[in-house]
C-alpha cells in the first residue's frame, strides 16, 4: 500500500513552505506533495503586488500594520491572530530571503517598498510585478532537492478518508486520481495538509486560474470540518476587462499605489464620491464603488488611467503588466486601460486555530483555503502570501510536536470509486461550469437575490451532471464540478444566514 507520513495537497506558497520547513526539521518523516496539474500552476505564481511586512521601523510599525488589517477586515478579524501574523512577518521573510528569494531594492540598497490600497505606509516587498512567481520558483527549486520530499504532479485528490475510534475522528489517507496512469489509488498517511487555494472559478469574472475550484474546501466539508465566512468573497477592482478571457489578467493594486487613477466613460475620477481615500481605499470599497458606477451608467467596464505617470518608471516597475497591455494593443502611456471588478480571494474557508488545525486533529488547512481570522470581511492587500507563510510555519511546528500521536491505520482500503476513465466529457462540463458561474455571480452580485431559488437551481445542475455520467464513473471534470457545486451551495447558505449586503 502507498504510504507517507505527511501528505500535502497543493504546491502553492503554503504547501511548499510547510514542506520545506517540516523536511528540514524532521528528516525522519516522509513527505508527499500532490498537485492536480503541473506544480507551478497555482494562484501563488500569479501574485504580482508582493508581501506586506513591516521593515521600516522609523516610518512604520507593527501597530500601524495591525490597525490597517483590522480596519480592512470590517470588525471581523481575530485580533490575536492579526497580532501573531504581523509580528512574525519579519522572521518568515528572512527565511524566504535565505533560500534566495529576491525583492527589489533602491539604488541605496534599501527595500523598494510598494504602497497598496488600505495600507497607511509603504510596506510591500515585491519582485517587480512577479513576486509570486519568484517565490514559487525558489521554493520549488529547494523542495525538489530535499531527499525526504516527493512531488507528485498531475495527481488530483478526490476525497479524504476518515476513521472514528472512541469518538475521535482522524484523517487516515486520501483517494486520488493518477492522471498519467489513469487510475484511482489510495495512499495512507498520518497527517494531511490541505493547501488547495481558493474558489474564484465559481464566478464569471475572476483573476484565479482554472485550478481554483474549491476542492480542498469541499473535501474538508465532506469530512466534517467546519466551514465559515464563505459569504465574504473579495472582488479585486482592477482586472483587465476582456469579454473572452478566463482568468482575467490582474492589474496589481500597486499600480494605484504608484499613482494611477480610476475614471469613468467621461474620463472623470469618481471614487472620492464613495470614500475619501479615493484610489487608495480598500478593495471592497473600490470594487463596490465601481459596481455602483457601472449600474448607473449601464456600461460593462471603467478605466485605469496611467497616462500621467512616468513612462520609464512605469515600465520598469510593472514590466509584465505593461507587456500584457501592449500585447492587446493598449499603451498605458497613452491609452486608458479597461477594467472590471473580478472575484479574487476567498476570505472565509476551513476554520482553523492558530496552528492551522481543523476540527479533525491531524487534518490541517493553510493558505487561501483556510479561514484563520486574519482577514475578517475583506483581506488587506498583500496579506495573503504573508498569512500563508506564517500558518505554514505554525502548522509545521505543531506537526513536529504532535505527529507521534498519530499512527498509520491498518485498515486496507480499496478505492470506493468504481473505476477511473477519461471519457471525453470535458466540453459538456465546460458548459455546465459556465451555467454555474452565471448562477453564482448573479446571486452574489444581485441585491434582489433569492437564496432558496438559487439553491434549487444549483442542485438541478448537479443532478443533470450526475445523469451525464450515467455509469457513475469518475472523471476529473465531474470531480471538479461536484466540488464547485458543493462550495456554491455553502456560499449561498452562508450568504442567506448572514443576510450579507451585496459586495
Ligand atoms: C492574480 C493574483 C494576484 C495576487 N496577488 C497577490 C499579492 O500580490 N499578494 C498577496 O499576498 N496575495 C496575492 N494573491 C493571492 C495569493 O496569491 C493567494 O492567496 C495564495 O498564493 C494562495 O496560495 P496557496 O498556497 O493557498 O494556494 P495556491 O497557490 O492557490 O495553490 C493551490 C494548489 O492546490 C492544488 N490543488 C487544488 N485542488 C487540488 C486537488 N483536488 N488535488 C491536488 N491538488 C490540488 C493546485 O493544483 C495548486 O497546486 C493574488 C492572487 C491572484 C489570483
Amino acid at each position: 500500500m502507498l504510504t507517507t507520513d505527511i501528505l500535502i495537497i497543493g504546491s502553492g506558497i503554503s504547501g511548499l513552505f510547510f514542506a520545506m520547513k517540516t523536511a528540514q526539521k524532521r528528516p525522519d518523516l516522509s513527505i508527499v506533495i500532490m498537485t492536480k496539474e503541473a506544480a507551478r500552476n497555482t494562484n501563488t505564481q500569479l501574485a504580482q503586488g508582493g508581501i506586506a511586512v513591516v521593515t521600516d521601523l522609523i516610518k512604520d510599525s507593527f501597530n500601524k500594520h495591525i490597525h490597517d488589517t483590522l480596519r480592512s477586515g470590517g470588525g471581523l478579524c481575530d485580533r490575536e491572530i492579526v497580532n501573531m501574523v504581523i509580528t512574525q512577518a519579519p522572521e518568515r521573510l528572512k527565511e524566504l530571503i535565505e533560500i534566495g528569494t529576491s525583492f527589489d531594492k533602491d539604488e541605496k540598497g534599501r527595500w523598494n517598498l510598494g504602497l497598496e490600497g488600505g495600507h497607511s505606509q509603504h510596506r510591500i516587498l515585491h519582485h517587480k510585478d512577479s513576486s509570486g512567481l519568484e517565490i514559487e520558483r525558489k521554493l520549488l527549486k529547494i523542495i525538489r532537492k530535499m531527499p525526504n520530499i516527493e512531488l507528485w504532479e498531475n495527481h488530483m485528490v478526490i476525497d479524504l478518508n476518515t476513521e472514528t475510534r472512541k469518538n475521535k475522528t482522524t484523517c487516515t489517507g486520501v483517494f486520488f486520481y493518477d492522471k498519467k496512469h489513469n487510475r484511482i489509488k489510495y495512499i495512507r498517511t498520518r497527517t494531511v495538509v490541505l493547501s488547495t487555494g481558493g474558489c474564484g472559478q465559481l464566478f464569471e469574472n475572476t483573476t484565479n486560474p482554472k485550478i481554483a475550484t474549491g476542492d480542498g474546501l469541499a473535501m474538508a466539508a465532506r469530512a466534517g470540518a467546519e466551514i465559515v465566512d464563505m459569504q465574504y468573497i473579495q472582488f479585486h477592482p482592477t482586472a483587465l476587462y476582456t469579454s473572452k478571457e478566463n482568468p482575467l489578467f490582474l492589474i496589481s493594486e500597486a499600480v494605484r499605489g504608484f499613482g494611477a487613477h480610476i475614471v469613468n466613460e467621461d474620463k472623470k475620477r469618481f471614487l472620492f464620491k464613495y470614500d475619501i481615500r479615493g484610489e487608495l481605499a480598500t478593495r471592497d470599497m473600490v470594487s463596490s464603488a465601481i459596481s455602483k458606477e457601472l449600474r448607473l451608467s449601464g456600461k460593462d467596464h471603467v478605466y485605469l488611467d496611467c497616462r500621467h505617470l512616468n513612462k520609464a518608471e512605469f515600465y520598469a516597475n510593472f514590466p509584465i503588466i505593461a507587456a500584457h497591455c501592449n500585447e492587446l494593443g493598449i499603451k498605458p502611456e497613452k491609452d486608458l486601460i479597461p477594467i472590471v471588478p473580478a472575484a479574487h480571494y476567498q476570505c472565509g474557508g476551513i476554520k482553523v486555530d492558530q496552528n492551522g488545525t481543523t476540527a479533525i486533529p491531524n487534518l490541517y488547512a493553510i493558505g487561501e483555503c483556510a479561514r484563520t481570522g486574519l482577514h475578517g470581511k475583506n483581506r488587506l492587500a498583500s496579506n495573503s502570501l504573508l498569512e500563508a507563510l506564517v500558518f505554514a510555519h505554525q502548522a509545521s511546528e505543531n506537526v513536529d510536536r504532535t505527529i507521534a500521536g498519530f499512527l498509520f491505520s491498518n485498515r486496507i482500503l480499496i478505492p470506493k470509486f468504481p473505476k477511473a476513465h477519461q471519457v471525453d466529457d470535458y466540453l459538456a462540463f465546460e458548459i455546465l461550469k459556465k451555467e454555474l458561474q452565471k448562477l453564482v455571480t448573479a446571486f452574489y452580485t444581485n441585491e434582489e437575490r433569492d437564496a432558496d431559488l438559487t439553491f434549487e437551481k444549483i442542485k438541478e445542475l448537479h443532478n443533470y451532471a450526475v445523469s451525464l455520467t450515467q455509469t457513475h464513473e469518475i472523471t476529473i471534470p465531474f470531480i471538479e464540478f461536484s466540488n464547485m457545486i458543493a462550495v456554491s451551495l455553502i456560499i449561498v447558505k452562508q450568504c442567506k444566514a448572514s443576510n450579507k449586503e451585496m459586495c
Side-chain angles (χ1 to χ4, degrees), residues 428-442:
F429 277 100
E430 277 305 290
I431 294 167
L432 284 178
K433 269 188 195 172
K434 286 209 166 78
E435 284 300 310
L436 181 64
Q437 287 162 345
K438 241 192 245 169
L439 272 177
V440 177
T441 306

Side-chain angles (χ1 to χ4, degrees), residues 43 45-49 128-131 133 201 204-210 235-255 301-302 304 306 314 317-330 332 337-344:
N43 280 291
Q45 67 131 355
L46 295 178
Q48 297 176 345
K128 304 228 175 321
D129 54 358
S130 53
S131 311
L133 186 62
Q201 282 292 324
E204 280 178 308
N205 284 335
T206 181
T207 59
N208 288 192
K210 297 266 185 180
F235 277 62
H236 196 293
T238 58
L240 182 62
Y241 174 80
T242 52
S243 52
K244 300 265 176 320
E245 281 185 11
N246 176 354
L248 293 181
F249 181 78
L250 183 78
I251 312 271
S252 166
E253 187 113 22
V255 176
H301 60 272
V302 291
L304 196 64
C306 303
F314 184 87
N317 276 284
F318 306 110
I320 294 192
I321 294 172
H324 194 87
C325 288
N326 284 184
E327 263 170 41
L328 297 174
I330 302 166
I337 306 173
I339 50 158
V340 71
H344 184 60

Side-chain angles (χ1 to χ4, degrees), residues 10-11 14 35-36 42-44 47 49-50 157 215 345 368 382 384-385:
S11 57
S14 58
T35 175
K36 67 178 171 178
T42 57
N43 280 291
T44 299
V157 176
D215 298 357
Y345 186 84
E368 189 167 338
S382 287
S384 159
L385 296 176

